Amino acid sequence: MRRLLARRMKFHLFGAFFVSIGCAALYKFGVAEPRKRAYAEFYKNYDPMKDFEAMKAAGVFESAPPK
């Protein structure tokens, strides 16, 4: 029973380290990278002036009234 806590702590410390690395990798490749690709695809064809004109025509802005 000597050093039982130290042995178990070492086991759990390494286990927690590997689980956290695994979770970080899953998040990066499962969430962050697809999100970056989606933003890049959206802004590849995005025309801010066209969007501004559509919002202006809808009356969204007070400083730029619709024509």
Side-chain angles (χ1 to χ4, degrees):
M1 299 286 289
R2 288 179 186 241
R3 296 187 215 108
L4 178 63
L5 178 62
R7 277 186 288 164
R8 291 186 59 81
M9 180 88 67
K10 189 184 301 183
F11 173 76
H12 286 105
L13 189 64
F14 286 130
F17 177 74
F18 288 120
V19 167
S20 65
I21 292 295
C23 288
L26 282 173
Y27 181 82
K28 178 176 174 41
F29 296 113
V31 176
E33 292 298 323
R35 187 176 290 171
K36 279 193 233 178
R37 281 194 302 272
Y39 274 106
E41 182 65 33
F42 175 77
Y43 282 110
K44 190 185 309 180
N45 301 320
Y46 180 65
D47 183 15
M49 288 308 294
K50 181 179 159 190
D51 200 25
F52 171 73
E53 292 299 329
M55 287 190 283
K56 184 177 169 183
V60 173
F61 303 117
E62 291 180 13
S63 62
K67 292 183 178 181

